[in-house]
Each structure stands twice: as structure tokens, then as C-alpha cells.
Amino acid sequence: MTAEFFREEPTARSSWRLAVLMGANSRTYKFALGEALLGAAAEGRTDIPLRDLARPYAMSLVEHLAQAPQASSRSVTGGTDFLTVAQEEAAESVRLGSPTEKLLAAAMKSMPEMVMQKFHNLRGHGGAEIPHRFYEVTGSSRERVVKLTEHLREVALSEQRPTLQAELAARWSIVETSFAAGVGRSLVEEGVAVDLETLRITDKERRRSVSGVTEAVIGFQHGRCIICAQPLIPGVDEIAVDHVFPYSFKRLLSGTDVDLDAIWNLAPAHRPCNGQKSNQSPSQGQLTRLAMRNEAIMQSPHPLKRTLQLTLKRHGYSGGRVGEWWDLIKEVRSRLQ
Ligand SMILES: [Zn+2]
């Protein structure tokens, strides 16, 4: 099914999304690496000394560590673990505004051994890799150089870069929140809630904001408007969150338990497209895109997947079979006719 997501748009950008949005995470290293890679490639660089990549990598981990845990509570961290070093060096690094020598050395040692080996792996596909490679580690162990590929530059220099940055940050926030004691458990078991006033995803335990709805789901619809299928560029386009089955249909559904205010039915769109659509029923194209978007979210680990799973289960589906979103969406549409 991740193959399906790639086939919809077989580009380096989709490979990037497979790596960032759909990988399993027991730590957040992949997000820090992704951020550092995008930054370097956006400057048009073709290669970069590992040391220069390790700097932003280590700093963003240190900054995130101050806000939330960066490893699942189930994963054990030892004294030589990179996160342990990051924790110890955090205060001094933040004071300096750059990583301490000890932190930098630990990052340079652990990156090629761990996260840089895993970044291209496709979760749950028996060692399979995403279709594009974004870098190669070259050089000797004394002086490692990271060669950035044409594919990475294509991703980093595309008009969708702001979207990719925002969705990476959202995924990072969602994952680290799921690592937090107490909240994590509720997120993994009950999924997320949506605050319609602020259009933010919240955890059900504390009702605290985790990320924006748009940033959390836009990558799964390839950064495109659910209504016209053209790219949605933050900072350029005005973005609205569309109720694909309009809110006004609620009264037609009274007596049923279909919740139109939940993630499954909410999708970013251009504000003008959203205004034009108003209360009309969604077109076949919109419903197809919604079904594909939801199927793609089902390939991403908890808690967004969990949220959609619970919706499916409430309507009598297994919550695990590929294609169930097509069936549920058809069912909702038939109830409205
Ligand atoms: Zn549009």
C-alpha cells in the first residue's frame, strides 16, 4: 500500500514522504537528519562534510529534547547512547548556540552507524528501500563527506519545500508527543482529537495542541488541494481545511454516528476552492483523493493511523484491511442520497 502512495505520484518527493511520514520511529533521529538534509540541499550543495551536517542535526535534537522525550519509553538508552550525550550537553550547547565538541563528536560517530543507514529503509518490507536515494556517505572514517544526490536537490528545491518542512515538523511533534508518558498511551490507544476552532490536532488526555491539521495530513495528499489537486504552497496560497462531506450534511446524517468533524473528513484545500465548493456535495475526484489520502495515513504509524482505525471500527470495518476507506466513503455518500 505504500507502493500505492508512490504510484500516485512516482517522484523523489514521494520517496521522501515515504521515509519521513511512513517510517516506524523508536527515536526521532530521522526527523533531525531530514531537516538537516533539506537545509543543506536547499543551498544547492552537492556534498557536505559530515561535521557540517552533524551541527544542525545535533542542535535540533537538543532543542527538541528540551520540549519532549526523543525516544520511546520502551527503548533503553545507555551511557554511550547519543541521546544520553545530547541530554548531558544540551544546556551548554544551547548557551553556545552550537553543539559542544563532545556532542558534535557523538553525532558524527552515531549518524553514519545508525540513522544514515536506516533513513532509506521502508518499514515492514523485509529490508526493502524507498525508490530514491538521497545521499551517500563517502570518505574515510577520519573525514567523512556526505554526497547529496540529485534527487535530494530535486526535493529540496521544489516549490513544495515549505510544505515538506512543515509536515516534517508536524510528524516530529506527533511522534515525540506519543513518546511522552501518559499522553503517549492515550494517543496510541485512542488516537487524536481535532479542535475545530483552531484547526489543530490535540491529544485527548490533556487537550493540548500537538500540530496543525493541515501540516499533519498534507503530505499524505502529496501536498495538494483536496478539491482541485493542484499544489498548496504555504505562504503563497491561502489554505483552508475543507470538510469533504460538508458540515451542513450533518442534519441529513442525524441518527447515524458519522462524525464529519473528524480527521477522516478534513482535508487541506485552497481557500478559494473551498469557498467555491461551499455546501455542495463532494465530486467523485474529491472522494477518490480522500480515500487515497486516508489509505496513505493508514500506512503511517500511530497515532494518526489509530484515529482512522477507530473511525473504521465504529462503522463495522476491521480497521486493518486495505481498501476499507473506499467502502466507508461510498457508504457515507449513499446515505446522503
Ligand atoms: Zn484547490
Side-chain angles (χ1 to χ4, degrees):
M1 211 35 216
T2 46
E4 191 67 36
F5 176 81
F6 184 77
R7 259 200 307 274
E8 283 162 35
E9 206 173 305
T11 59
R13 199 165 54 209
S14 295
S15 282
W16 178 265
R17 287 185 161 127
L18 289 178
V20 171
L21 300 178
M22 301 194 188
N25 309 97
S26 61
R27 298 177 181 212
T28 59
Y29 297 161
K30 204 181 248 192
F31 305 123
L33 177 62
E35 208 177 72
L37 286 169
L38 274 186
E43 291 167 5
R45 300 187 72 147
T46 54
D47 46 53
I48 180 170
L50 180 61
R51 170 175 287 270
D52 292 350
L53 198 63
R55 246 183 263 277
Y57 170 86
M59 272 322 273
S60 59
L61 274 170
V62 156
E63 281 154 17
H64 276 262
L65 262 176
Q67 309 297 325
Q70 300 300 309
S72 134
S73 56
R74 265 169 289 166
S75 74
V76 189
T77 53
T80 57
D81 189 274
F82 176 69
L83 275 185
T84 308
V85 179
Q87 198 91 59
E88 289 164 2
E89 300 297 306
E92 182 64 2
S93 300
V94 168
R95 196 185 65 79
L96 292 170
S98 69
T100 61
E101 271 309 311
K102 188 175 171 196
L103 177 60
L104 192 59
M108 288 169 66
K109 181 170 188 307
S110 79
M111 287 169 78
E113 288 172 4
M114 302 225 328
V115 64
M116 297 192 84
Q117 289 196 17
K118 290 187 183 163
F119 193 84
H120 297 107
N121 291 355
L122 205 49
R123 179 180 64 108
H125 289 73
E129 297 201 331
I130 55 174
H132 295 82
R133 289 191 77 80
F134 296 114
Y135 57 82
E136 298 293 341
V137 182
T138 62
S140 68
S141 57
R142 281 191 52 219
E143 171 99 69
R144 288 200 198 280
V145 174
V146 182
K147 289 211 172 307
L148 308 178
T149 65
E150 193 50 49
H151 298 310
L152 180 62
R153 279 188 296 285
E154 186 186 323
V155 169
L157 297 171
S158 82
E159 59 171 0
Q160 283 206 27
R161 174 158 53 103
T163 315
L164 295 167
Q165 283 168 327
E167 68 197 40
L168 183 150
R171 183 72 201 152
W172 194 340
S173 172
I174 289 170
V175 168
E176 69 190 7
T177 310
S178 75
F179 290 158
V183 190
R185 180 128 156 236
S186 101
L187 278 179
V188 170
E189 283 169 11
E190 303 168 53
V192 299
V194 174
D195 178 354
L196 283 176
E197 233 158 80
T198 57
L199 289 173
R200 301 205 47 101
I201 282 177
T202 63
D203 67 77
K204 295 191 178 188
E205 181 93 3
R206 303 171 305 179
R207 296 259 154 205
R208 246 186 250 169
S209 169
V210 177
S211 92
V213 172
T214 295
E215 296 81 352
V217 302
I218 195 166
F220 299 100
Q221 51 191 70
H222 295 279
R224 293 173 184 277
C225 171
I226 198 80
I227 298 172
C228 73
Q230 293 304 307
L232 277 170
I233 310 297
V236 175
D237 297 315
E238 267 199 89
I239 300 177
V241 172
D242 183 47
H243 276 76
V244 179
F245 288 104
Y247 182 77
S248 59
F249 283 25
K250 241 183 181 170
R251 80 198 145 78
L252 301 176
L253 290 165
S254 63
T256 74
D257 54 359
V258 180
D259 182 3
L260 296 181
D261 292 335
I263 285 283
W264 76 271
N265 187 47
L266 298 173
H270 296 108
R271 187 169 292 283
C273 290
N274 180 242
Q276 229 165 42
K277 177 187 159 197
S278 179
N279 287 329
Q280 294 162 47
S281 46
S283 68
Q284 187 52 50
Q286 286 163 36
L287 293 182
T288 299
R289 282 190 285 282
L290 181 67
M292 291 196 297
R293 195 281 309 261
N294 287 352
E295 291 287 345
I297 293 177
M298 295 295 287
Q299 303 308 312
S300 174
H302 301 315
L304 283 190
K305 170 186 180 172
R306 182 66 184 152
T307 314
L308 292 193
Q309 246 174 356
L310 291 171
T311 304
L312 285 171
K313 284 189 173 166
R314 212 168 31 247
H315 294 283
Y317 293 87
S318 79
R321 257 198 327 273
V322 168
E324 288 185 325
W325 275 107
W326 297 87
D327 298 337
L328 177 53
I329 285 168
K330 243 185 265 164
E331 193 188 317
V332 174
R333 191 180 58 173
S334 72
R335 286 200 225 169
L336 294 168
Q337 277 162 354

